[in-house]
Amino acid sequence: MGKSVFNPEKMYTYIKGFATALHMEQTLKALSYAREKHQGQFRKSGDPYIVHPLTMACDALSMGIKDDNTIATILLHDVCEDCGVLPEELPVNEDVRRGVQLMTFIVMEGETKEMAKKRYYNMLIQSKEAVITKLIDRCHNVSSMAGTFSVEKLKSYIAETRTYILPLLRKAKDCYPEESDRLFTLKYHITSVVDAIDLTMQAYERKD
């Protein structure tokens, strides 16, 4: 893999400075905690794992999202699922804990994975922090999946995006109309990337 275009230290410093200036207490707590918990973890791309939530937070700030709870949820969204941390152990307020809990995918006893997905996506809409986090998460993941996912994984991820993420976007627009502009930007980016990769794969399959 080539050298990453993302510098985690610069992103960390930027977010910290932004949050300090606006007195974003939850974000500052989440920022240091996320870096501590993701220490030593890496993405499939080879990047340090912390690059993922930091990039998401920078994306959110670039879209004008300055809500303290939302940025904190973004920074912590994978901590419970990937680091063995319980939501009640997070050093943040209840709104952020709830957002992170909803973002944490768990297959419950008696569920198939598909049943768990349906329950998971249906519950996300309960929290604006969780919805925005999930959509930015998917935006970053589809943007970085080419070259790291297998063809089968690409197809599966594209199918999941169309089955669950696009309907979630429509629900979010109805539930949180004040976020319509940001939701449009996220929908445009997600669908553009997914459609481009899908069409490219189809073209190669026809060529073979």
Side-chain angles (χ1 to χ4, degrees):
M1 300 296 294
K3 186 177 180 181
S4 175
V5 297
F6 300 105
N7 185 313
E9 289 304 319
K10 287 184 178 179
M11 288 192 291
Y12 187 94
T13 301
Y14 170 72
I15 296 165
K16 185 176 181 180
F18 193 102
T20 299
L22 293 185
H23 307 289
M24 298 167 72
E25 181 181 346
Q26 303 306 312
T27 295
L28 290 169
K29 290 178 181 178
L31 185 62
S32 58
Y33 192 80
R35 182 165 69 171
E36 174 192 340
K37 292 301 177 181
H38 286 303
Q39 183 70 33
Q41 295 180 338
F42 294 88
R43 299 270 284 174
K44 290 180 180 179
S45 63
D47 288 330
Y49 199 90
I50 193 62
V51 166
H52 174 54
L54 291 178
T55 301
M56 286 174 56
C58 287
D59 286 346
L61 294 175
S62 74
M63 286 189 282
I65 298 174
K66 299 177 183 178
D67 178 69
D68 192 12
N69 288 341
T70 300
I71 303 300
T73 302
I74 287 169
L75 290 166
L76 295 173
H77 79 277
D78 277 336
V79 166
C80 291
E81 190 168 321
D82 293 345
C83 306
V85 177
L86 296 174
E88 56 267 29
E89 296 174 330
L90 298 172
V92 286
N93 66 29
E94 287 303 317
D95 288 334
V96 179
R97 288 176 180 172
R98 175 62 170 160
V100 176
Q101 182 180 38
L102 288 170
M103 277 292 298
T104 304
F105 180 75
I106 299 172
V107 180
M108 294 183 176
E109 186 176 352
E111 286 185 326
T112 64
K113 190 172 182 179
E114 198 57 38
M115 291 168 61
K117 280 185 182 180
K118 289 179 181 178
R119 173 182 51 79
Y120 173 75
Y121 281 103
N122 284 333
M123 291 184 68
L124 280 172
I125 200 68
Q126 297 174 11
S127 161
K128 183 164 75 171
E129 292 88 356
V131 168
I132 295 297
T133 298
K134 187 64 189 181
L135 295 174
I136 295 177
D137 178 50
R138 186 55 55 114
C139 190
H140 186 222
N141 284 340
V142 298
S143 300
S144 57
M145 64 184 180
T148 57
F149 286 11
S150 67
V151 172
E152 289 308 311
K153 175 66 174 176
L154 282 170
K155 290 179 179 179
S156 173
Y157 208 67
I158 288 170
E160 181 180 308
T161 299
R162 289 172 173 163
T163 301
Y164 294 110
I165 294 295
L166 297 186
L168 180 63
L169 270 159
R170 290 191 288 271
K171 287 182 184 178
K173 186 176 180 181
D174 291 336
C175 291
Y176 308 110
E178 69 276 12
E179 300 294 338
S180 290
D181 290 346
R182 295 175 183 125
L183 293 172
F184 174 83
T185 299
L186 289 165
K187 180 181 178 182
Y188 175 79
H189 186 91
I190 291 168
T191 55
S192 296
V193 174
V194 164
D195 289 349
I197 292 175
D198 192 21
L199 288 170
T200 301
M201 288 193 298
Q202 290 180 38
Y204 273 105
E205 287 174 353
R206 287 195 299 268
K207 189 176 180 180
D208 292 341

